[in-house]
Amino acid sequence: MISLKNINKYYSTGNHELHVLKDVNLEIGSGELVSIMGSSGSGKSTLLNILGILDAYDSGSYHLDNTLIKSLSEKKAAQYRNEFIGFIFQSFHLLGYKNAMENVALPLYYRGISRKKRNIIAREYLDKVGLLDWAEHMPNELSGGQQQRVSIARALISEPKLILADEPTGALDSQTSENVMNLFREVNKLGITVLIVTHEHDIANMTDRQITLIDGKIHETSHV
Ligand code: ADP
Ligand code: MG
């Protein structure tokens, strides 16, 4: 599903260049549940953004589902993102003026599906994450854990092959984090590849494979 070969990434800030990813090699198979650990500044988000085709790399190669992801037009990049990838963020990224159902339905709006139809489908996905009763509620009426489940439902509605989550439990207490991780495990059991960036060992321990980034290098991987 994911194949990275000798990926390097630099940021230039003013007159000096920051080497953020250093010859990263990584193979992730279809259906894996993987965590990427590492301290703040180690390059986790940079790596995830490259995998999510939100950012470009400077050298090496990235193949997603056997397609070389390099120098894509913005249109082509958006097409691959929509087709393959669901994103989950620490801060949920829900629209505050839309209720839970409308937030979940949003990806279908961009696919030109009618309001009636997309709301029916959105309710099905809210049901899958245990929030059907909350469909008409606004994000500020939901707890952090509920908001993250809404954002997971919104990611799933596009039927992605790959879920990329950047610190998805970073804003949640430990019990809620465990519930959200259990939801990711269920999602993974459906056959969806799930990649979770975290700096918490408890979270990483709930995945099947742990990758550690230290100063832009892949340091170790451990399989369960
Ligand atoms: P992590 O997610 O592991 O905390 P990041 O990938 O966000 O790490 O950042 C890795 C390094 O790259 C950090 O030193 C950060 O300051 C730097 N960095 C991240 N994004 C940019 C950017 N857009 N421009 C310049 N430097 C950046
Ligand atoms: Mg980060």
Side-chain angles (χ1 to χ4, degrees), residues 39-46 90 166-167 197:
S39 53
S40 178
S42 57
K44 303 184 298 297
S45 293
T46 301
Q90 176 174 352
D166 197 351
E167 309 258 7
V197 162

Side-chain angles (χ1 to χ4, degrees), residues 142-189:
L142 304 175
S143 69
Q146 288 174 324
Q147 289 183 66
Q148 196 58 298
R149 277 148 68 194
V150 170
S151 91
I152 292 170
R154 181 186 54 190
L156 291 176
I157 204 167
S158 303
E159 301 186 310
K161 291 187 184 172
L162 172 65
I163 296 256
L164 299 175
D166 197 351
E167 309 258 7
T169 62
L172 307 176
D173 64 65
S174 55
Q175 182 57 56
T176 309
S177 296
E178 195 179 322
N179 295 342
V180 165
M181 283 304 294
N182 281 325
L183 182 55
F184 278 121
R185 293 184 63 86
E186 284 175 35
V187 165
N188 176 247
K189 285 204 184 89

